[in-house]
Amino acid sequence: MSENSEFEDNIAMGCIAAISVFGLISNGLSFYLTRTRSRFRNAFGILCSSFLICNLQAIIVLLTWCTIVLSLKSPILSSPELFSVRLVGVILNGAWFGSILMHFLTAINRFFAFVYATRYNQLWSETRTFKIAIIFWTISMVYCTHHLYENCSLLFNYGSKYRWLHHTSYHGQICARIDAIVSVALIVAMACTDFITLLKIIAYHRTMRRNTTESTTVSVINEKEVLFFKQVIMRN
């Protein structure tokens, strides 16, 4: 693979910087709102903040490391030889899986908030939710420690491709497939949970609409009966 030119490196760095700044501003502003608005001072707000922290972690690592690699242009920074290089991949991918897990927890939280509304505050207290968020973030980081193994490392600009890629070794490709399967499985589980919650909400609204219609019909019948009774009395 031929080396990238200075112009190509500058374009890549500019694109990374622009996207990262946008991500930092949007996620940072959202995090500020979730921490300052009273409506987010609950379990849902904690999960939203945790998700945003994972996003910010990934963006900061991506921006910092990509800038270093493209500025110094040292081949060793795109190879798995150094432990510090492999550690960057762990932190970045850990943030990715942490973000997905927080999304999944948020989906479960919304399901419980609607289906088990009477027990929601007991099941999802702020303290318990905070502990759950820390545990799941830790799980995501521990899961990604396999990138510390040289043949399973996650590297930026490996082969001068301006991408984060797993090592091309046999073990690296296995790790890449496992990461993809785990990511898809979590996203599908999250989508299914959200879909079930949506069905519950639709069924609830239909029931409420039916009950409202029946109540209105009964009220109209009662009003007619009262009117008829008054007319009978007046005639007599």
Side-chain angles (χ1 to χ4, degrees), residues 3-236:
E3 293 293 329
N4 298 318
S5 66
E6 183 77 20
F7 179 70
E8 291 174 332
D9 288 347
N10 291 335
I11 291 178
M13 193 180 303
C15 293
I16 293 171
I19 295 173
S20 298
V21 169
F22 176 77
L24 288 173
I25 293 175
S26 58
N27 284 276
L29 181 60
S30 299
F31 179 74
Y32 172 78
L33 293 175
T34 57
R35 291 294 84 205
T36 56
R37 296 297 178 90
S38 58
R39 68 179 62 182
F40 289 107
R41 292 174 184 171
N42 47 38
F44 177 70
I46 292 174
L47 293 176
C48 289
S49 298
S50 302
F51 161 71
L52 293 169
I53 289 174
C54 290
N55 285 351
L56 290 170
Q57 174 185 332
I59 294 171
I60 292 172
V61 172
L62 187 146
L63 175 62
T64 304
W65 188 247
C66 291
T67 302
I68 292 174
V69 172
L70 295 178
S71 298
L72 299 180
K73 305 182 188 303
S74 176
I76 198 171
L77 297 178
S78 297
S79 68
E81 298 178 17
L82 297 179
F83 175 82
S84 57
V85 173
R86 301 195 298 272
L87 182 61
V88 172
V90 173
I91 298 174
L92 179 65
N93 217 29
W96 159 253
F97 281 103
S99 179
I100 296 178
L101 285 173
M102 295 308 162
H103 258 302
F104 180 57
L105 285 175
T106 304
I108 296 177
N109 175 269
R110 294 299 85 195
F111 176 81
F112 274 83
F114 185 80
V115 178
Y116 302 102
T118 56
R119 300 178 56 194
Y120 174 76
N121 290 330
Q122 178 184 358
L123 296 172
W124 290 87
S125 64
E126 293 186 33
T127 303
R128 179 176 295 179
T129 304
F130 182 73
K131 292 179 181 178
I132 291 174
I134 292 178
I135 291 172
F136 273 73
W137 178 85
T138 304
I139 290 174
S140 67
M141 296 299 297
V142 172
Y143 166 76
C144 292
T145 53
H146 62 272
H147 293 311
L148 293 176
Y149 178 56
E150 186 171 334
N151 289 335
C152 292
S153 54
L154 183 65
L155 306 169
F156 173 69
N157 206 31
Y158 183 64
S160 301
K161 294 181 179 180
Y162 298 124
R163 290 186 295 169
W164 289 88
L165 298 171
H166 288 80
H167 196 273
T168 54
S169 65
Y170 173 75
H171 294 94
Q173 295 308 302
I174 291 178
C175 291
R177 291 186 177 90
I178 292 175
D179 284 352
I181 292 172
V182 173
S183 298
V184 172
L186 287 172
I187 293 172
V188 170
M190 175 181 62
C192 290
T193 304
D194 284 334
F195 183 68
I196 293 173
T197 304
L198 177 62
L199 293 179
K200 294 287 186 180
I201 293 174
I202 293 174
Y204 172 77
H205 281 294
R206 286 179 178 175
T207 303
M208 291 299 296
R209 192 180 301 113
R210 188 183 306 113
N211 292 339
T212 302
T213 303
E214 292 176 356
S215 299
T216 304
T217 304
V218 171
S219 298
V220 171
I221 293 174
N222 290 337
E223 289 178 1
K224 290 182 178 180
E225 290 178 351
V226 171
L227 180 60
F228 176 75
F229 181 72
K230 288 182 179 180
Q231 291 175 349
V232 171
I233 292 177
M234 291 176 64
R235 289 178 182 177
N236 294 334

